Amino acid sequence: MSIYRTHNCNELRKEDVGKKVFLSGWINKKRDHGNLLFIDLRDNYGITQCIIDRENSNFSTLEKMQLETVIKVDGEVVDRSEETVNKDIKTGEIEVLIKSFDVLGKCKELPMPIFSDQEYSEEIRLKYRFLDLRRKKIHENIILRSKVISFIRNEMNKLGFLEYQTPILTSSSPEGARDFLVPSRLNPGKFYALPQAPQQFKQLIMVSGFDKYFQIAPCFRDEDARADRSPGEFYQLDLEMSFVEQEDVFNVVEKLLVNTFKNFSKKKLVKEKFPRIPYKESMLKYGTDKPDLRNPLIINDITDVFLRDDIKFDIFKNLVKSGCKVRCIITKDTKNKPRSFFDGIDKWAKEQGTSGMAYFTFDKDKEVFGKGPVGKFFSKEAIEELMVKTGANIGDSIFFACNKEKDLEVITALARNKIAQDLDLIDENIFAFCWVIDYPMFEKDKETKKIKFSHNPFSMPQGDLDKLDFGKPLDILAYQYDIVCNGIELSSGAIRNHIPDLMYKLFSVAGYNKNQVDQKFSGMINALNYGAPPHGGIAPGLDRIVMLLANEKNIREVTMFPMNQNAQDLMMNAPSDIGEDQLKELGISLKLKK
RNA sequence: GGGGGUGUAGCUCAGUUGGUUAGAGCGAUCGCCUGUCACGCGAUAGGUCGAGGGUUCGAGUCCCUUCACUCCCGCCA
């Protein structure tokens, strides 16, 4: 038996009345009645009310104890009268009559209260993270995270995957995010990089013949933070399989995610077979490659209609002639919405730095007409064509904007969210998953205008490999796929290119010659020459999965010891200065910008 | 690198048009209280109003600079 406790703080029940017990934990709350003192004793498992009165010689010292002091209570379990039962806690039918107590850990005056639903500044929470983590909500989030991880490990094992570790100190790679670098003492002037993902290693594991790999893998990227993106480090459920096609990966991952989400959340999954949306279609219908399918609104391209002569909306017509497109969103049955709703959307769109959203409502007297400020520019026939094209009915409204395709995608995607919010169309109690598939292999860099890999340079191109047209690289699609849930990108993956010659060709399109490829990806390109199996995989972001399950908007709420937005650990004081001697040993001198 | 928000007691916040000695709740300290579970009641202490500069008879409040935190854009194969 432990010298500290016979039971934890969530264990004692009516049946235990009369038992002599030890409990240890934190003083969560005191209620001092002068001659009678209630103490809520808290540990990881729950809360037990302990009680002592003035008759006991320990009363006055216990009365003075700071909250959050760790004590051991020696007492007896006693029954509570019916009126004093607390139904909110599992131990609420009993209490522990304190005989004596010991202080196990003293506590200074607290910089932040533990027992409170208040919000606190991020700064103080992160500096005193060990206190913050005692609070109920985040304590439960972290436990949830642990349970999700162990559930996933178990599921992966059941699916025949084995977990392997890959190096943390590895080489810098030219594609992708900024690397975190680690100087090498034994190789002065040279640097390791922390892996942005175990991408090459997991492919090497396949070449090594292990068939099915997974890992709860730490990934390091030196990029700026967001609410759903930790600076520095995050975790992926990294997985890879040999002798598979896209479909095989989909089957495994759908099974895993459906089981996980069903097991840990009460929210309903809209579809257990995730819909598949080609990248191009997603950009058109949702304006983004991470569509929130809880939102029923869909974007339509109506550029053609603006070629008609009986539309007098000259601003848009002229833009269309110069190559712009027109896209719209139809809202169902919004005829009677107040003017403020429509103008609100337009005003909001202008605030987003666009030319705004035009709108009218499909209405009918003797014949159909457009009701609203710009309705008069559209003939009866033009309106009828719009209704056919968009599936709109009398009483529905149309919001539309005109711009170059890329800008138009951005604004219509934002408008789709905004309108859905205003009309309260998004069901918060569901998970809507989808696959986004058929990503283009390459894209044009906005600034340099050069061709670059749009996602993963190791992806396998689609189609007949002998007939790929490298003269039109932007038309080449890849076996590259993302999983999106409620508008959040959960993971991306691909069937990999395991054919060295093809790899060289694709890299040459992106501006790397054979030597550069050999040098930068030596381990992998070399391995592919010695009998590589066809393989593919994916890497769902673990932190984001837990965020969705815990219903949190910020990744720090599901991370035990996160850094702040400037990638500083306020509790441990990282990063920190280092001594001259350490620098000298590494052959490094600092030239800091002022 | 750029844009927005916030910064007042240990914590969470209020503070009017620029106007007397900057307030409240929680926490702390002291006192009272034997059935609370956000216990109750009374008192006390606690402030560089993020920092610096300016305007003004007078600045928590207006202006400029700067710092910190946060959200977003860029970035994140």
Side-chain angles (χ1 to χ4, degrees):
Chain A
M1 189 187 77
S2 159
I3 60 167
Y4 295 114
R5 58 186 177 195
T6 54
H7 301 77
N8 69 44
C9 292
N10 198 30
E11 241 181 324
L12 295 170
R13 299 288 182 273
K14 223 177 172 72
E15 307 83 85
D16 299 303
V17 168
K19 282 185 186 161
K20 310 266 185 227
V21 296
F22 297 150
L23 295 181
S24 287
W26 288 260
I27 300 178
N28 192 57
K29 193 75 189 163
K30 285 185 299 190
R31 288 174 297 280
D32 188 353
H33 290 234
N35 292 309
L36 180 70
L37 172 67
F38 297 98
I39 287 182
D40 288 341
L41 197 66
R42 182 195 76 239
D43 66 10
N44 180 61
Y45 309 98
I47 284 177
T48 302
Q49 176 166 283
C50 303
I51 184 168
I52 187 168
D53 71 15
R54 198 170 279 286
E55 305 288 294
N56 189 306
S57 60
N58 290 300
F59 183 88
S60 51
T61 36
L62 196 47
E63 195 183 24
K64 297 276 180 289
M65 282 293 141
Q66 270 282 354
L67 295 184
E68 295 303 310
T69 302
V70 180
I71 60 171
K72 172 189 164 186
V73 165
D74 177 357
E76 182 187 339
V77 182
V78 296
D79 208 358
R80 290 206 210 181
S81 69
E82 204 164 310
E83 320 84 74
T84 61
V85 164
N86 183 351
K87 293 198 176 80
D88 297 332
I89 56 175
K90 294 223 171 109
T91 60
E93 286 191 307
I94 56 91
E95 58 199 6
V96 169
L97 185 60
I98 299 172
K99 200 169 85 197
S100 65
F101 80 102
D102 296 306
V103 174
L104 302 178
K106 285 191 204 168
C107 181
K108 297 203 290 186
E109 187 179 343
L110 296 162
M112 57 182 284
I114 309 301
F115 177 65
S116 164
D117 292 328
Q118 267 175 22
E119 303 279 346
Y120 305 97
S121 76
E122 209 72 30
E123 201 172 357
I124 199 140
R125 291 184 60 193
L126 294 183
K127 181 166 181 193
Y128 295 97
R129 190 60 162 179
F130 49 89
L131 295 179
D132 191 34
L133 287 166
R134 289 181 196 169
R135 296 166 65 215
K136 193 163 192 274
K137 185 77 202 323
I138 189 160
H139 200 85
E140 284 172 357
N141 283 352
I142 299 298
I143 289 173
L144 172 70
R145 182 186 175 114
S146 172
K147 288 184 172 165
V148 168
I149 290 176
S150 83
F151 181 86
I152 285 175
R153 281 208 163 95
N154 192 31
E155 290 290 299
M156 291 306 285
N157 287 144
K158 280 200 274 183
L159 288 163
F161 287 77
L162 296 176
E163 184 166 13
Y164 304 101
Q165 277 81 51
T166 51
I168 300 298
L169 294 174
T170 179
S171 64
S172 176
S173 68
E175 287 281 317
R178 256 178 239 111
D179 285 316
F180 278 101
L181 298 174
V182 180
S184 166
R185 175 181 60 83
L186 293 174
N187 304 277
K190 298 197 173 180
F191 291 81
Y192 302 96
L194 305 183
Q196 295 180 25
Q199 180 63 37
Q200 293 188 61
F201 286 111
K202 71 172 170 177
Q203 293 192 238
L204 287 160
I205 290 171
M206 294 301 100
V207 179
S208 308
F210 286 101
D211 205 70
K212 283 180 180 158
Y213 145 89
F214 86 100
Q215 180 181 197
I216 307 294
C219 303
F220 305 89
R221 295 177 193 176
D222 187 7
E223 297 294 352
D224 288 352
R226 288 288 182 277
D228 64 349
R229 204 165 84 200
S230 288
E233 54 191 81
F234 62 97
Y235 282 81
Q236 289 183 338
L237 164 62
D238 195 39
L239 69 94
E240 196 77 5
M241 313 156 72
S242 284
F243 305 111
V244 291
E245 295 180 286
Q246 183 165 292
E247 205 59 33
D248 302 305
V249 178
F250 285 11
N251 284 334
V252 163
V253 177
E254 273 178 18
K255 213 174 286 174
L256 175 78
L257 288 181
V258 167
N259 284 348
T260 306
F261 276 71
K262 273 186 169 174
N263 199 53
F264 289 102
S265 178
K266 290 194 179 102
K267 292 190 186 183
K268 264 189 81 174
L269 274 68
V270 177
K271 284 183 180 144
E272 295 192 11
K273 183 91 180 154
F274 304 164
R276 292 154 198 214
I277 306 171
Y279 171 82
K280 220 173 167 176
E281 181 186 330
S282 183
M283 295 309 289
L284 175 64
K285 285 167 78 174
Y286 310 104
T288 170
D289 65 347
K290 30 188 187 214
D292 186 347
L293 295 187
R294 293 174 304 173
N295 179 346
L297 300 175
I298 286 180
I299 300 161
N300 262 297
D301 192 302
I302 49 171
T303 311
D304 293 350
V305 184
F306 281 77
L307 299 172
R308 294 174 66 107
D309 292 330
D310 56 354
I311 290 180
K312 306 293 180 204
F313 203 29
D314 290 335
I315 311 172
F316 277 26
K317 291 186 80 166
N318 291 334
L319 283 167
V320 167
K321 276 176 202 152
S322 70
C324 287
K325 295 190 180 280
V326 185
R327 286 181 184 168
C328 70
I329 293 171
I330 301 291
T331 56
K332 289 282 159 202
D333 204 17
T334 38
K335 184 182 165 185
N336 296 321
K337 284 276 163 191
R339 178 74 182 257
S340 59
F341 161 70
F342 297 97
D343 287 344
I345 302 291
D346 180 43
K347 185 175 163 228
W348 167 86
K350 282 176 178 146
E351 281 165 10
Q352 308 303 305
T354 72
S355 49
M357 296 290 283
Y359 65 84
F360 62 80
T361 295
F362 297 100
D363 209 339
K364 191 173 187 178
D365 263 337
K366 281 169 192 152
E367 47 188 40
V368 291
F369 68 101
K371 181 187 155 203
V374 302
K376 59 176 182 275
F377 296 117
F378 295 82
S379 69
K380 165 179 168 280
E381 290 75 18
I383 288 176
E384 280 168 351
E385 188 186 342
L386 278 175
M387 289 176 74
V388 170
K389 211 159 174 128
T390 61
N393 298 311
I394 298 297
D396 297 349
S397 310
I398 181 167
F399 290 86
F400 54 103
C402 180
N403 213 324
K404 287 182 193 144
E405 187 165 23
K406 281 286 155 205
D407 296 327
L408 191 57
E409 281 166 0
V410 171
I411 184 62
T412 49
L414 288 168
R416 187 175 165 265
N417 288 339
K418 169 70 177 166
I419 294 169
Q421 270 168 27
D422 285 3
L423 293 174
D424 198 20
L425 298 176
I426 294 175
D427 183 349
E428 292 290 340
N429 291 310
I430 56 175
F431 289 120
F433 282 93
C434 65
W435 292 100
V436 177
I437 58 173
D438 300 342
Y439 275 84
M441 188 86 212
F442 299 101
E443 64 186 10
K444 203 176 250 179
D445 191 288
K446 269 176 287 202
E447 273 147 36
T448 63
K449 304 287 177 199
K450 282 184 188 162
I451 301 287
K452 60 172 196 176
F453 288 107
S454 71
H455 267 70
N456 185 321
F458 308 124
S459 301
M460 182 66 103
Q462 295 188 19
D464 190 336
L465 298 182
D466 299 328
K467 292 180 185 156
L468 284 177
D469 185 356
F470 292 98
K472 290 184 186 167
L474 294 176
D475 292 344
I476 300 176
L477 297 181
Y479 286 112
Q480 164 85 43
Y481 35 82
D482 278 13
I483 294 176
V484 176
C485 179
N486 294 1
I488 293 171
E489 183 189 326
L490 269 193
S491 51
S492 71
I495 297 300
R496 319 298 174 187
N497 180 354
H498 67 288
I499 304 163
D501 288 346
L502 183 57
M503 183 98 76
Y504 287 126
K505 272 189 208 155
L506 292 166
F507 267 98
S508 77
V509 172
Y512 295 90
N513 64 33
K514 186 168 185 295
N515 277 342
Q516 286 168 312
V517 176
D518 285 340
Q519 202 175 2
K520 293 294 185 187
F521 306 102
S522 60
M524 209 169 72
I525 201 84
N526 193 26
L528 296 182
N529 281 302
Y530 290 93
H535 60 285
I538 194 164
L542 198 76
D543 313 80
R544 286 186 185 170
I545 289 175
V546 181
M547 268 173 82
L548 283 170
L549 292 172
N551 209 15
E552 293 286 0
K553 296 241 176 327
N554 194 300
I555 204 158
R556 290 186 295 271
E557 301 302 325
V558 296
T559 308
M560 208 159 196
F561 298 113
M563 296 200 284
N564 70 8
Q565 193 165 44
N566 296 320
Q568 298 158 340
D569 181 336
L570 299 175
M571 186 176 61
M572 304 299 278
N573 271 326
S576 59
D577 294 324
I578 57 165
E580 266 309 311
D581 48 342
Q582 276 178 297
L583 285 173
K584 203 173 167 189
E585 193 168 45
L586 296 166
I588 290 178
S589 68
L590 302 177
K591 285 184 190 165
L592 297 178
K593 279 185 237 163
K594 276 187 184 167

